[in-house]
């Protein structure tokens, strides 16, 4: 049973460029959440996708956008990259965002390390 | 507002017991999670508490007091491989949907 997979592993971009990160959720999961983790910090919630819609968003600008496909995989797009966007971007998958109990555990991928020069 | 506090760094000796504390303030609470994260790797789920009390899972235990906004992760019989960051996260319920709000993490260094 494959866990959460993310691609690419590492990425180097320059300021002003655009980037697309990809995530495949754990088998059977229908919800994908994206987090940004700066060095030495905890992950910060970017947004969550369920049924191909953005259902909740953290305190991130509109330069951050996403998409969820019918097979539940997801993309994170960042436009007009800034130096401060350099971070580890984590994808987490879970089942049923409105349920309660252990089935809402979020399982994380290994992340994409983005460096903006 | 949302605020989660945990110590930045802790050190302990192999074979010992260590307790990592976490205090939180959130607008809506629906569970507290502990994750382990080795450097450069994905956070790995350790434990989940939604009711007050202690949850034990092998060498790891987690405690929750909702009235005090307090949790701790207890690690027994420490091993070198336990050197990692430990993330406390609260599931915050807003508008019917759920997100995880993380603390900054506690870096644990286990020495021989």
């Amino acid at each position: 049973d494959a866990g959460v997979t993310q691609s690419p592993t590492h990425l180097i971009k320059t300021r002003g460029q655009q980037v697309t990160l990809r995530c495949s959720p754990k088998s059977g999961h229908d919800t994908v959440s994206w987090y940004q983790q700066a060095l030495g910090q905890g992950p910060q919630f970017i947004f969550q996708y369920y049924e191909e819609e953005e259902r909740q968003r953290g305190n991130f600008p509109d330069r951050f956008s996403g998409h969820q496909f019918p097979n539940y995989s997801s993309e994170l797009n960042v436009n007009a990259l800034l130096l401060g966007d350099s971070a580890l971007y984590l994808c987490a998958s879970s089942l049923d965002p409105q349920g309660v109990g252990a089935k809402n555990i979020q399982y994380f991928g290994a992340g994409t390390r983005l460096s903006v020069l | 507002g949302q605020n989660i506090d945990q110590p930045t760094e802790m050190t302990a000796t192999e074979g010992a017991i260590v307790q990592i504390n976490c205090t939180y303030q959130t607008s809506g609470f629906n569970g507290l999670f502990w994750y382990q994260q080795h450097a450069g790797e994905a956070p790995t789920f350790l434990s989940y508490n939604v009711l007050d009390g202690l949850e034990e899972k092998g060498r790891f235990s987690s405690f929750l007091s909702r009235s005090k906004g307090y949790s701790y992760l207890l690690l027994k019989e420490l091993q070198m491989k336990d050197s990692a960051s430990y993330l406390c996260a609260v599931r915050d319920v807003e508008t019917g949907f759920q997100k995880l709000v993380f603390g900054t993490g506690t870096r644990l260094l286990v020495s021989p």
Side-chain angles (χ1 to χ4, degrees), chain A residues 37 42 48 55 97 99 104 106 109, chain B residues 35 37 42 91 97-98 100 103:
Chain A
Q37 186 176 24
Q48 182 179 85
R55 286 305 183 92
N104 289 117
Q106 293 189 18
Chain B
Y35 283 84
Q37 186 176 27
R91 188 157 61 194
F97 302 104
Q98 302 171 0
L100 288 180

Side-chain angles (χ1 to χ4, degrees), chain B residues 57-61 74-79 81-82:
Chain B
K57 192 187 293 186
R59 294 190 299 114
F60 292 16
S61 303
L74 193 71
L75 291 76
K76 304 175 186 175
E77 302 169 14
L78 281 173
Q79 302 175 9
K81 67 178 182 179
D82 297 329

Side-chain angles (χ1 to χ4, degrees), chain B residues 60-76:
Chain B
F60 292 16
S61 303
S62 57
F63 171 83
L64 175 67
S65 169
R66 289 171 296 171
S67 62
K68 295 182 180 179
Y70 168 69
S71 173
Y72 67 72
L73 179 69
L74 193 71
L75 291 76
K76 304 175 186 175

